[in-house]
Amino acid sequence: MAGKWLDLRSVLLPVVITEAVLLCICYNYMSAERSCDTHSENPIYSHLTKDSVFLTNVGSTQTFPDKMNFNQTDKDQLRRKSPEFGPLRPLNVVPMEVEPHYTVSYQRDVPINYTDLFSTDSEGNCRASFCKWPKMPGATRELVASAPELFEKIPLRFLDNFKNPCWLRGETELNCLPYFYILGNYKCGTTDMWDKITAHPDVFAKVAKEPHWWGPRRNGYTAIPINRPEVLQARSHTGGTDDSSLEWYLNLYKASVVPEIINSRITTKEGIGYHPKVFGDASISTVYAIGREWIKTFPYAAEPPYTNADLMHALQPNAKFILMIRNPTRRADSFFWYLHRPGQPGDADRWHQKATTYIQCFKKCVQDYNLRFCAYAAECPYDLIPDLQVGIYHVFIRDWLKVFPRDNFKVIRLEDWEAEPVTVYRDLLNFLDLRQLSVDEENRILKRRRSNQNQRQHEQTHPETLNALNDFHRPFNVELAKLMGDDKFNYPDYKGSSV
């Protein structure tokens, strides 16, 4: 009997030991958010406390020092609201033992044939990128054809160990898009809002505020009214003077903030490496500037078949958007005087002529087409910096709310920001999923001098000009209040004061 027991033990013992080893391996790689059987579908991140990054440009390499080594206890930092669009592909899977030494490599804009976006094999099955974009929310063939590079290069999901949307190309090259976007409008407090958000300790401030890429630059705009050093630097890395490629946009951030994102690495209590800091884009043109290519591509379209809202929802469904608005008549009045040098006699007359001519032109456009068509394409004139149509807020807001839930899109009135900055700021931090600050930190930020406030001396706007502007905007304000479900958005007539 003892001999039989020894024989049986010699068979069972290796099995028991093997199972114990497998259980141990599985346990060591489990976290609060992941299980062992998910490693084949998600990037693997290290439990180390140090990392370095190499910045590469035409053969040169720069090493950044190791950064923060904190013990964080908030598991929510690792949660990503990743919508499921179907089976997920592995994204640049790295060895389980170590997080990669991320590199930041500038890429040239090289013409690429994107026929794989719509290709199938002999049996009709999808090939290459065609297997990816149908899983992106709201991505139609027409939308993909309007921006093939973006659908080719931007992945289905981003790295889980970065709060900011980032992904790898190859094994180590890190690419990042903005975490949040501040949208329109001119003279609505966007610069001051940007200043206060980027003063938060977890938001990077040293980044170009208004690259205007999603709207104007992506559609062929090459002028440099702002951010000149950053624009020229991105061009030098990308090649040429055309800023429309995604590589230009990515290079813009690689030259400023991506290395800092890498170096913001912390270690959670569970021993997981995490990069908690984020950056944004405050190009106000993103809300309305979609170019005019759609008119040529769809000559019989009654309205734009897609907007930046549709495009960005397909590519960044979890991005956060902040739209700043203001009494539209007061906004238009402030913007005119902001663009004109003080002390020029006759400016009030010129402003009246400009406003009335524009209103007549826009009304004629609506008679010939419809309001939504004219809001995006009115030749009164159509410009990077449009005049009155940006104040038709409800048209643009409706397009964004059609695709983004309210949890991703926030409308802030400048009037509320001025009247209750503490309340608005705390609500904004909650919206952006940023940690609330102490009272001292809040006071330090909110007491900063208001940015880009128009204080130029100028003539008084004629009352008849303000009356014409009020008449123009009044029905649109009514529609805005209905859309937002709040009468405070039904702005009263503006009679004139300091702007």
Side-chain angles (χ1 to χ4, degrees):
M1 186 70 179
K4 291 182 179 180
W5 166 243
L6 289 175
D7 290 341
L8 182 61
R9 186 172 59 179
S10 65
V11 174
L12 293 177
L13 188 60
V15 175
V16 172
I17 293 175
T18 301
E19 288 183 351
V21 170
L22 290 175
L23 287 172
C24 182
I25 292 173
C26 185
Y27 176 80
N28 285 335
Y29 288 101
M30 288 180 68
S31 72
E33 300 298 322
R34 299 184 178 89
S35 62
C36 288
D37 60 3
T38 64
H39 288 308
S40 63
E41 294 186 348
N42 292 284
I44 307 300
Y45 312 111
S46 78
H47 296 182
L48 302 183
T49 59
K50 295 184 179 180
D51 65 300
S52 61
V53 56
F54 300 94
L55 180 65
T56 307
N57 182 22
V58 195
S60 63
T61 302
Q62 180 178 355
T63 302
F64 289 80
D66 297 326
K67 288 288 183 176
M68 297 176 289
N69 191 10
F70 301 152
N71 285 323
Q72 297 287 329
T73 59
D74 188 2
K75 295 180 182 179
D76 289 339
Q77 284 184 321
L78 298 180
R79 286 199 184 95
R80 296 300 302 272
K81 301 174 183 177
S82 299
E84 298 293 340
F85 306 135
L88 295 177
R89 305 179 300 112
L91 262 185
N92 304 304
V93 176
V94 298
M96 289 191 297
E97 294 83 5
V98 61
E99 187 175 14
H101 296 294
Y102 298 105
T103 58
V104 181
S105 301
Y106 299 113
Q107 298 294 332
R108 309 289 286 182
D109 178 25
V110 179
I112 299 176
N113 186 342
Y114 292 108
T115 55
D116 279 349
L117 286 164
F118 305 105
S119 63
T120 58
D121 61 22
S122 59
E123 297 180 356
N125 299 316
C126 65
R127 293 175 53 196
S129 297
F130 186 27
C131 300
K132 178 179 71 172
W133 69 256
K135 299 176 184 178
M136 294 179 167
T140 63
R141 183 175 289 262
E142 292 77 17
L143 185 64
V144 174
S146 72
E149 182 191 21
L150 278 62
F151 286 92
E152 171 72 21
K153 295 181 178 179
I154 296 176
L156 275 173
R157 59 179 296 175
F158 303 111
L159 296 172
D160 290 329
N161 62 330
F162 287 80
K163 186 180 182 73
N164 204 84
C166 299
W167 72 98
L168 293 179
R169 286 196 290 205
E171 295 183 354
T172 62
E173 181 197 330
L174 194 70
N175 296 268
C176 298
L177 291 172
Y179 172 78
F180 68 92
Y181 296 85
I182 298 180
L183 311 176
N185 280 289
Y186 299 99
K187 307 315 299 175
C188 288
T190 56
T191 301
D192 189 55
M193 180 63 73
W194 171 263
D195 176 67
K196 303 304 189 288
I197 293 177
T198 56
H200 190 284
D202 295 335
V203 181
F204 290 107
K206 294 182 179 180
V207 59
K209 171 180 174 278
E210 297 180 74
H212 289 289
W213 184 78
W214 286 96
R217 294 197 184 280
R218 194 174 60 83
N219 289 287
Y221 180 78
T222 57
I224 316 177
I226 55 176
N227 302 315
R228 184 177 183 82
E230 293 88 349
V231 169
L232 293 179
Q233 185 180 38
R235 283 184 186 175
S236 70
H237 294 313
T238 309
T241 59
D242 183 358
D243 307 335
S244 63
S245 72
L246 176 64
E247 298 301 344
W248 183 92
Y249 196 49
L250 298 177
N251 285 340
L252 180 77
Y253 295 120
K254 289 176 183 177
S256 58
V257 70
V258 174
E260 295 301 319
I261 287 181
I262 296 171
N263 281 336
S264 71
R265 186 181 188 277
I266 62 174
T267 303
T268 67
K269 187 179 71 172
E270 293 81 6
I272 298 174
Y274 188 65
H275 303 256
K277 294 196 174 184
V278 300
F279 69 92
D281 176 338
S283 301
I284 54 184
S285 58
T286 302
V287 74
Y288 58 78
I290 61 174
R292 309 202 72 191
E293 189 64 29
W294 64 271
I295 297 177
K296 301 176 184 177
T297 306
F298 304 95
Y300 302 107
E303 299 178 1
Y306 45 75
T307 68
N308 286 339
D310 299 294
L311 182 65
M312 298 178 79
H313 179 241
L315 298 165
Q316 278 190 266
N318 298 316
K320 301 285 189 176
F321 299 90
I322 303 162
L323 176 62
M324 297 289 294
I325 66 172
R326 181 188 194 181
N327 183 309
T329 296
R330 187 170 186 179
R331 185 215 63 80
D333 193 45
S334 178
F335 186 51
F336 176 84
W337 294 113
Y338 177 75
L339 292 180
H340 289 74
R341 292 175 298 174
Q344 299 297 307
D347 272 346
D349 293 335
R350 281 186 281 274
W351 175 211
H352 181 75
Q353 180 63 39
K354 180 182 178 70
T356 53
T357 300
Y358 189 96
I359 290 172
Q360 292 170 1
C361 174
F362 195 86
K363 287 182 176 180
K364 178 65 166 58
C365 179
V366 174
Q367 290 176 357
D368 295 339
Y369 300 95
N370 58 61
L371 180 61
R372 186 167 179 267
F373 179 100
C374 297
Y376 285 103
E379 294 182 350
C380 300
Y382 179 85
D383 198 353
L384 165 67
I385 304 177
D387 285 290
L388 301 189
Q389 76 258 41
V390 297
I392 309 175
Y393 303 133
H394 75 282
V395 171
F396 307 112
I397 294 174
R398 181 174 283 114
D399 280 343
W400 288 82
L401 290 181
K402 278 194 306 186
V403 294
F404 282 102
R406 292 292 179 97
D407 287 346
N408 293 75
F409 193 85
K410 177 170 285 294
V411 179
I412 298 178
R413 301 193 322 149
L414 177 60
E415 293 84 358
D416 296 331
W417 174 237
E418 292 176 333
E420 300 180 86
V422 173
T423 300
V424 172
Y425 192 65
R426 290 176 179 175
D427 182 56
L428 186 61
L429 297 187
N430 184 60
F431 168 75
L432 292 174
D433 193 26
L434 297 173
R435 64 181 175 87
Q436 293 294 328
L437 303 178
S438 67
V439 174
D440 288 341
E441 288 175 309
E442 272 185 1
N443 289 337
R444 177 179 55 81
I445 291 173
L446 296 178
K447 288 182 179 179
R448 290 160 64 115
R449 183 178 178 181
R450 186 173 168 188
S451 300
N452 201 28
Q453 186 175 10
N454 188 6
Q455 297 179 334
R456 294 181 178 180
Q457 297 297 316
H458 54 76
E459 296 180 59
Q460 290 297 313
T461 301
H462 297 323
E464 53 267 33
T465 307
L466 296 178
N467 290 336
L469 292 170
N470 285 326
D471 291 342
F472 176 76
H473 288 117
R474 193 176 298 115
F476 306 138
N477 293 337
V478 171
E479 292 301 317
L480 175 63
K482 291 180 181 178
L483 176 64
M484 301 304 296
D486 193 334
D487 284 340
K488 74 178 182 180
F489 290 94
N490 186 5
Y491 283 104
D493 288 354
Y494 174 64
K495 300 299 184 181
S497 65
S498 61
V499 295

mmCIF file of all heavy atoms in Angstrom, residues 213-245:
data_model
loop_
_atom_site.group_PDB
_atom_site.id
_atom_site.type_symbol
_atom_site.label_atom_id
_atom_site.label_comp_id
_atom_site.label_asym_id
_atom_site.label_seq_id
_atom_site.Cartn_x
_atom_site.Cartn_y
_atom_site.Cartn_z
ATOM 1 N N TRP A 213 -5.650 73.720 -35.667
ATOM 2 C CA TRP A 213 -5.374 72.650 -36.613
ATOM 3 C C TRP A 213 -6.630 71.921 -37.084
ATOM 4 O O TRP A 213 -6.798 71.689 -38.279
ATOM 5 C CB TRP A 213 -4.401 71.624 -36.008
ATOM 6 C CG TRP A 213 -4.032 70.577 -37.005
ATOM 7 C CD1 TRP A 213 -3.140 70.688 -38.032
ATOM 8 C CD2 TRP A 213 -4.591 69.261 -37.106
ATOM 9 N NE1 TRP A 213 -3.096 69.525 -38.770
ATOM 10 C CE2 TRP A 213 -3.984 68.622 -38.215
ATOM 11 C CE3 TRP A 213 -5.542 68.555 -36.368
ATOM 12 C CZ2 TRP A 213 -4.298 67.328 -38.606
ATOM 13 C CZ3 TRP A 213 -5.848 67.251 -36.749
ATOM 14 C CH2 TRP A 213 -5.232 66.657 -37.855
ATOM 15 N N TRP A 214 -7.517 71.562 -36.182
ATOM 16 C CA TRP A 214 -8.676 70.757 -36.564
ATOM 17 C C TRP A 214 -9.541 71.459 -37.603
ATOM 18 O O TRP A 214 -10.159 70.814 -38.444
ATOM 19 C CB TRP A 214 -9.520 70.414 -35.338
ATOM 20 C CG TRP A 214 -8.899 69.369 -34.485
ATOM 21 C CD1 TRP A 214 -8.130 69.570 -33.363
ATOM 22 C CD2 TRP A 214 -8.955 67.947 -34.667
ATOM 23 N NE1 TRP A 214 -7.713 68.362 -32.845
ATOM 24 C CE2 TRP A 214 -8.208 67.350 -33.622
ATOM 25 C CE3 TRP A 214 -9.564 67.128 -35.607
ATOM 26 C CZ2 TRP A 214 -8.064 65.971 -33.502
ATOM 27 C CZ3 TRP A 214 -9.430 65.745 -35.483
ATOM 28 C CH2 TRP A 214 -8.689 65.189 -34.444
ATOM 29 N N GLY A 215 -9.595 72.776 -37.555
ATOM 30 C CA GLY A 215 -10.389 73.510 -38.531
ATOM 31 C C GLY A 215 -9.542 74.080 -39.649
ATOM 32 O O GLY A 215 -9.347 73.459 -40.697
ATOM 33 N N PRO A 216 -8.964 75.270 -39.457
ATOM 34 C CA PRO A 216 -8.264 75.962 -40.551
ATOM 35 C C PRO A 216 -7.038 75.240 -41.105
ATOM 36 O O PRO A 216 -6.946 75.028 -42.314
ATOM 37 C CB PRO A 216 -7.879 77.300 -39.918
ATOM 38 C CG PRO A 216 -8.878 77.503 -38.834
ATOM 39 C CD PRO A 216 -9.156 76.136 -38.290
ATOM 40 N N ARG A 217 -6.071 74.864 -40.261
ATOM 41 C CA ARG A 217 -4.820 74.304 -40.787
ATOM 42 C C ARG A 217 -5.043 72.967 -41.483
ATOM 43 O O ARG A 217 -4.436 72.695 -42.528
ATOM 44 C CB ARG A 217 -3.781 74.158 -39.671
ATOM 45 C CG ARG A 217 -3.320 75.479 -39.118
ATOM 46 C CD ARG A 217 -2.027 75.372 -38.340
ATOM 47 N NE ARG A 217 -1.712 76.664 -37.760
ATOM 48 C CZ ARG A 217 -1.151 77.669 -38.425
ATOM 49 N NH1 ARG A 217 -0.837 77.524 -39.697
ATOM 50 N NH2 ARG A 217 -0.913 78.813 -37.825
ATOM 51 N N ARG A 218 -5.885 72.145 -40.940
ATOM 52 C CA ARG A 218 -6.155 70.856 -41.576
ATOM 53 C C ARG A 218 -6.793 71.047 -42.945
ATOM 54 O O ARG A 218 -6.720 70.167 -43.808
ATOM 55 C CB ARG A 218 -7.063 70.014 -40.672
ATOM 56 C CG ARG A 218 -7.145 68.556 -41.034
ATOM 57 C CD ARG A 218 -7.948 67.783 -40.001
ATOM 58 N NE ARG A 218 -9.302 68.287 -39.886
ATOM 59 C CZ ARG A 218 -10.291 67.931 -40.708
ATOM 60 N NH1 ARG A 218 -10.077 67.100 -41.691
ATOM 61 N NH2 ARG A 218 -11.508 68.426 -40.527
ATOM 62 N N ASN A 219 -7.409 72.218 -43.161
ATOM 63 C CA ASN A 219 -8.066 72.511 -44.428
ATOM 64 C C ASN A 219 -7.287 73.503 -45.285
ATOM 65 O O ASN A 219 -7.859 74.185 -46.132
ATOM 66 C CB ASN A 219 -9.477 73.029 -44.161
ATOM 67 C CG ASN A 219 -10.410 71.943 -43.670
ATOM 68 O OD1 ASN A 219 -10.830 71.075 -44.423
ATOM 69 N ND2 ASN A 219 -10.732 71.962 -42.373
ATOM 70 N N GLY A 220 -5.963 73.616 -45.033
ATOM 71 C CA GLY A 220 -5.124 74.373 -45.947
ATOM 72 C C GLY A 220 -4.669 75.741 -45.490
ATOM 73 O O GLY A 220 -3.936 76.422 -46.207
ATOM 74 N N TYR A 221 -5.063 76.170 -44.304
ATOM 75 C CA TYR A 221 -4.658 77.490 -43.808
ATOM 76 C C TYR A 221 -3.194 77.446 -43.373
ATOM 77 O O TYR A 221 -2.773 76.548 -42.649
ATOM 78 C CB TYR A 221 -5.549 77.864 -42.630
ATOM 79 C CG TYR A 221 -5.251 79.208 -42.016
ATOM 80 C CD1 TYR A 221 -5.680 80.383 -42.611
ATOM 81 C CD2 TYR A 221 -4.561 79.301 -40.809
ATOM 82 C CE1 TYR A 221 -5.433 81.615 -42.033
ATOM 83 C CE2 TYR A 221 -4.303 80.524 -40.219
ATOM 84 C CZ TYR A 221 -4.738 81.678 -40.841
ATOM 85 O OH TYR A 221 -4.485 82.900 -40.271
ATOM 86 N N THR A 222 -2.379 78.420 -43.818
ATOM 87 C CA THR A 222 -0.949 78.422 -43.504
ATOM 88 C C THR A 222 -0.468 79.715 -42.864
ATOM 89 O O THR A 222 0.725 79.842 -42.567
ATOM 90 C CB THR A 222 -0.121 78.169 -44.772
ATOM 91 O OG1 THR A 222 -0.440 79.168 -45.753
ATOM 92 C CG2 THR A 222 -0.398 76.786 -45.343
ATOM 93 N N ALA A 223 -1.340 80.700 -42.661
ATOM 94 C CA ALA A 223 -0.917 81.959 -42.039
ATOM 95 C C ALA A 223 -0.513 81.715 -40.589
ATOM 96 O O ALA A 223 -0.870 80.701 -39.981
ATOM 97 C CB ALA A 223 -2.034 82.995 -42.113
ATOM 98 N N ILE A 224 0.256 82.662 -40.018
ATOM 99 C CA ILE A 224 0.761 82.487 -38.654
ATOM 100 C C ILE A 224 0.472 83.744 -37.825
ATOM 101 O O ILE A 224 1.378 84.497 -37.478
ATOM 102 C CB ILE A 224 2.271 82.189 -38.643
ATOM 103 C CG1 ILE A 224 2.625 81.176 -39.721
ATOM 104 C CG2 ILE A 224 2.705 81.656 -37.280
ATOM 105 C CD1 ILE A 224 4.095 80.891 -39.818
ATOM 106 N N PRO A 225 -0.798 83.998 -37.480
ATOM 107 C CA PRO A 225 -1.083 85.177 -36.659
ATOM 108 C C PRO A 225 -0.657 85.010 -35.210
ATOM 109 O O PRO A 225 -0.405 85.984 -34.510
ATOM 110 C CB PRO A 225 -2.601 85.319 -36.776
ATOM 111 C CG PRO A 225 -3.079 83.923 -37.038
ATOM 112 C CD PRO A 225 -2.012 83.267 -37.855
ATOM 113 N N ILE A 226 -0.578 83.775 -34.733
ATOM 114 C CA ILE A 226 -0.200 83.493 -33.346
ATOM 115 C C ILE A 226 0.678 82.242 -33.318
ATOM 116 O O ILE A 226 0.770 81.513 -34.311
ATOM 117 C CB ILE A 226 -1.433 83.282 -32.441
ATOM 118 C CG1 ILE A 226 -2.326 82.182 -33.026
ATOM 119 C CG2 ILE A 226 -2.210 84.580 -32.255
ATOM 120 C CD1 ILE A 226 -3.505 81.840 -32.154
ATOM 121 N N ASN A 227 1.322 82.015 -32.176
ATOM 122 C CA ASN A 227 2.151 80.814 -31.971
ATOM 123 C C ASN A 227 3.225 80.652 -33.046
ATOM 124 O O ASN A 227 3.541 79.535 -33.467
ATOM 125 C CB ASN A 227 1.274 79.544 -31.948
ATOM 126 C CG ASN A 227 0.206 79.569 -30.884
ATOM 127 O OD1 ASN A 227 0.461 79.938 -29.743
ATOM 128 N ND2 ASN A 227 -0.992 79.197 -31.259
ATOM 129 N N ARG A 228 3.812 81.755 -33.490
ATOM 130 C CA ARG A 228 4.758 81.688 -34.603
ATOM 131 C C ARG A 228 5.935 80.743 -34.341
ATOM 132 O O ARG A 228 6.239 79.893 -35.190
ATOM 133 C CB ARG A 228 5.266 83.093 -34.942
ATOM 134 C CG ARG A 228 6.191 83.109 -36.164
ATOM 135 C CD ARG A 228 6.627 84.520 -36.542
ATOM 136 N NE ARG A 228 7.431 84.499 -37.741
ATOM 137 C CZ ARG A 228 6.956 84.454 -38.970
ATOM 138 N NH1 ARG A 228 5.646 84.434 -39.160
ATOM 139 N NH2 ARG A 228 7.753 84.424 -40.015
ATOM 140 N N PRO A 229 6.635 80.856 -33.208
ATOM 141 C CA PRO A 229 7.767 79.937 -32.990
ATOM 142 C C PRO A 229 7.352 78.474 -33.031
ATOM 143 O O PRO A 229 8.049 77.640 -33.625
ATOM 144 C CB PRO A 229 8.296 80.345 -31.614
ATOM 145 C CG PRO A 229 7.820 81.736 -31.408
ATOM 146 C CD PRO A 229 6.497 81.801 -32.084
ATOM 147 N N GLU A 230 6.218 78.161 -32.416
ATOM 148 C CA GLU A 230 5.773 76.773 -32.359
ATOM 149 C C GLU A 230 5.366 76.264 -33.743
ATOM 150 O O GLU A 230 5.666 75.117 -34.109
ATOM 151 C CB GLU A 230 4.590 76.637 -31.394
ATOM 152 C CG GLU A 230 4.946 76.901 -29.938
ATOM 153 C CD GLU A 230 4.835 78.370 -29.565
ATOM 154 O OE1 GLU A 230 4.685 79.210 -30.485
ATOM 155 O OE2 GLU A 230 4.901 78.674 -28.357
ATOM 156 N N VAL A 231 4.672 77.117 -34.511
ATOM 157 C CA VAL A 231 4.248 76.713 -35.852
ATOM 158 C C VAL A 231 5.454 76.441 -36.747
ATOM 159 O O VAL A 231 5.521 75.419 -37.447
ATOM 160 C CB VAL A 231 3.350 77.799 -36.480
ATOM 161 C CG1 VAL A 231 3.119 77.519 -37.963
ATOM 162 C CG2 VAL A 231 2.013 77.868 -35.750
ATOM 163 N N LEU A 232 6.439 77.344 -36.720
ATOM 164 C CA LEU A 232 7.621 77.175 -37.564
ATOM 165 C C LEU A 232 8.442 75.964 -37.134
ATOM 166 O O LEU A 232 9.011 75.258 -37.974
ATOM 167 C CB LEU A 232 8.472 78.441 -37.529
ATOM 168 C CG LEU A 232 7.833 79.679 -38.166
ATOM 169 C CD1 LEU A 232 8.767 80.875 -38.048
ATOM 170 C CD2 LEU A 232 7.479 79.426 -39.627
ATOM 171 N N GLN A 233 8.509 75.726 -35.827
ATOM 172 C CA GLN A 233 9.251 74.567 -35.350
ATOM 173 C C GLN A 233 8.592 73.267 -35.815
ATOM 174 O O GLN A 233 9.265 72.339 -36.265
ATOM 175 C CB GLN A 233 9.354 74.589 -33.830
ATOM 176 C CG GLN A 233 10.214 73.468 -33.253
ATOM 177 C CD GLN A 233 10.299 73.530 -31.746
ATOM 178 O OE1 GLN A 233 9.321 73.845 -31.067
ATOM 179 N NE2 GLN A 233 11.470 73.250 -31.199
ATOM 180 N N ALA A 234 7.262 73.213 -35.723
ATOM 181 C CA ALA A 234 6.551 72.016 -36.178
ATOM 182 C C ALA A 234 6.752 71.820 -37.679
ATOM 183 O O ALA A 234 6.929 70.695 -38.157
ATOM 184 C CB ALA A 234 5.065 72.125 -35.852
ATOM 185 N N ARG A 235 6.752 72.921 -38.434
ATOM 186 C CA ARG A 235 6.977 72.813 -39.877
ATOM 187 C C ARG A 235 8.372 72.277 -40.179
ATOM 188 O O ARG A 235 8.552 71.473 -41.101
ATOM 189 C CB ARG A 235 6.817 74.188 -40.533
ATOM 190 C CG ARG A 235 5.394 74.632 -40.717
ATOM 191 C CD ARG A 235 5.329 75.951 -41.469
ATOM 192 N NE ARG A 235 3.969 76.463 -41.521
ATOM 193 C CZ ARG A 235 3.644 77.634 -42.032
ATOM 194 N NH1 ARG A 235 4.594 78.431 -42.531
ATOM 195 N NH2 ARG A 235 2.385 78.037 -42.059
ATOM 196 N N SER A 236 9.355 72.739 -39.423
ATOM 197 C CA SER A 236 10.721 72.295 -39.680
ATOM 198 C C SER A 236 10.860 70.794 -39.458
ATOM 199 O O SER A 236 11.630 70.124 -40.149
ATOM 200 C CB SER A 236 11.700 73.056 -38.778
ATOM 201 O OG SER A 236 11.561 72.674 -37.418
ATOM 202 N N HIS A 237 10.111 70.251 -38.500
ATOM 203 C CA HIS A 237 10.168 68.816 -38.243
ATOM 204 C C HIS A 237 9.363 68.027 -39.281
ATOM 205 O O HIS A 237 9.750 66.925 -39.676
ATOM 206 C CB HIS A 237 9.634 68.498 -36.851
ATOM 207 C CG HIS A 237 10.467 69.045 -35.736
ATOM 208 N ND1 HIS A 237 11.830 68.909 -35.684
ATOM 209 C CD2 HIS A 237 10.118 69.730 -34.610
ATOM 210 C CE1 HIS A 237 12.300 69.484 -34.592
ATOM 211 N NE2 HIS A 237 11.280 69.985 -33.919
ATOM 212 N N THR A 238 8.223 68.600 -39.688
ATOM 213 C CA THR A 238 7.332 67.879 -40.592
ATOM 214 C C THR A 238 7.792 67.997 -42.044
ATOM 215 O O THR A 238 7.659 67.056 -42.821
ATOM 216 C CB THR A 238 5.893 68.415 -40.468
ATOM 217 O OG1 THR A 238 5.521 68.436 -39.085
ATOM 218 C CG2 THR A 238 4.914 67.533 -41.222
ATOM 219 N N GLY A 239 8.336 69.187 -42.422
ATOM 220 C CA GLY A 239 8.773 69.412 -43.791
ATOM 221 C C GLY A 239 7.760 70.231 -44.567
ATOM 222 O O GLY A 239 6.555 69.989 -44.472
ATOM 223 N N GLY A 240 8.260 71.225 -45.329
ATOM 224 C CA GLY A 240 7.365 72.037 -46.136
ATOM 225 C C GLY A 240 6.636 73.089 -45.329
ATOM 226 O O GLY A 240 6.920 73.318 -44.147
ATOM 227 N N THR A 241 5.667 73.742 -45.961
ATOM 228 C CA THR A 241 4.891 74.801 -45.310
ATOM 229 C C THR A 241 3.422 74.422 -45.168
ATOM 230 O O THR A 241 2.607 75.241 -44.772
ATOM 231 C CB THR A 241 4.995 76.109 -46.113
ATOM 232 O OG1 THR A 241 4.508 75.880 -47.450
ATOM 233 C CG2 THR A 241 6.433 76.594 -46.174
ATOM 234 N N ASP A 242 3.087 73.187 -45.511
ATOM 235 C CA ASP A 242 1.711 72.721 -45.384
ATOM 236 C C ASP A 242 1.524 72.131 -43.989
ATOM 237 O O ASP A 242 2.172 71.163 -43.616
ATOM 238 C CB ASP A 242 1.424 71.660 -46.453
ATOM 239 C CG ASP A 242 -0.021 71.184 -46.420
ATOM 240 O OD1 ASP A 242 -0.789 71.646 -45.559
ATOM 241 O OD2 ASP A 242 -0.378 70.342 -47.265
ATOM 242 N N ASP A 243 0.622 72.728 -43.222
ATOM 243 C CA ASP A 243 0.402 72.293 -41.840
ATOM 244 C C ASP A 243 -0.752 71.305 -41.711
ATOM 245 O O ASP A 243 -1.206 71.025 -40.598
ATOM 246 C CB ASP A 243 0.106 73.504 -40.948
ATOM 247 C CG ASP A 243 1.152 74.586 -41.053
ATOM 248 O OD1 ASP A 243 2.308 74.263 -41.400
ATOM 249 O OD2 ASP A 243 0.828 75.753 -40.800
ATOM 250 N N SER A 244 -1.261 70.790 -42.819
ATOM 251 C CA SER A 244 -2.512 70.033 -42.770
ATOM 252 C C SER A 244 -2.353 68.602 -42.279
ATOM 253 O O SER A 244 -3.348 67.968 -41.911
ATOM 254 C CB SER A 244 -3.154 70.007 -44.160
ATOM 255 O OG SER A 244 -2.321 69.333 -45.086
ATOM 256 N N SER A 245 -1.141 68.074 -42.258
ATOM 257 C CA SER A 245 -0.984 66.657 -41.904
ATOM 258 C C SER A 245 -1.093 66.426 -40.402
ATOM 259 O O SER A 245 -0.796 67.314 -39.593
ATOM 260 C CB SER A 245 0.373 66.135 -42.382
ATOM 261 O OG SER A 245 1.420 66.664 -41.599
#
